[in-house]
Amino acid sequence: MTRREKLQELLVKQPDDAFLHYGLAIELVKEGEAEAALERFDRVLRLDAGYSAAHYQKANTCVALGRLEEARATLVTGIAAARAKGDAHAEEEMRSFLGSLG
């Protein structure tokens, strides 16, 4: 059983687990299924708007697809979420990423 299959199986039992959805999104990126990964990152963020890694990885996936405006918007939202949580490290990482997009 692949990691993806294991995550999908766990999600049947725990459909609202943001961490499992995030893990599946990462697996989808690795498998070249960027659009499906973006849908999964969106699910993570609906479940937990403060999930900083999901904001960052969603933006990264958008960049890989050439969707720079969507990446910027995702980072702006992620920066605000990280600030609200008091996660200065995540906030700075996303600020740096946003700055690199010009």
Side-chain angles (χ1 to χ4, degrees), residues 14-97:
Q14 300 173 60
D16 292 330
D17 188 310
F19 180 74
L20 293 175
H21 284 285
Y22 177 79
L24 182 54
I26 295 298
E27 289 304 309
L28 290 166
V29 169
K30 289 178 187 176
E31 294 175 10
E33 296 186 40
E35 290 295 336
L38 288 176
E39 290 175 16
R40 196 59 62 163
F41 286 129
D42 285 340
R43 177 74 187 269
V44 172
L45 295 170
R46 282 193 304 274
L47 291 167
D48 181 357
Y51 205 122
S52 297
H55 288 283
Y56 187 93
Q57 291 300 330
K58 178 183 177 187
N60 196 42
T61 303
C62 287
V63 169
L65 292 171
R67 293 160 54 172
L68 298 182
E69 287 306 314
E70 187 175 351
R72 287 184 188 100
T74 298
L75 290 167
V76 167
T77 302
I79 289 165
R83 185 179 318 115
K85 280 179 49 178
D87 189 345
H89 178 75
E91 181 181 352
E92 183 51 39
E93 278 188 335
M94 286 187 275
R95 281 189 187 285
S96 178
F97 188 4

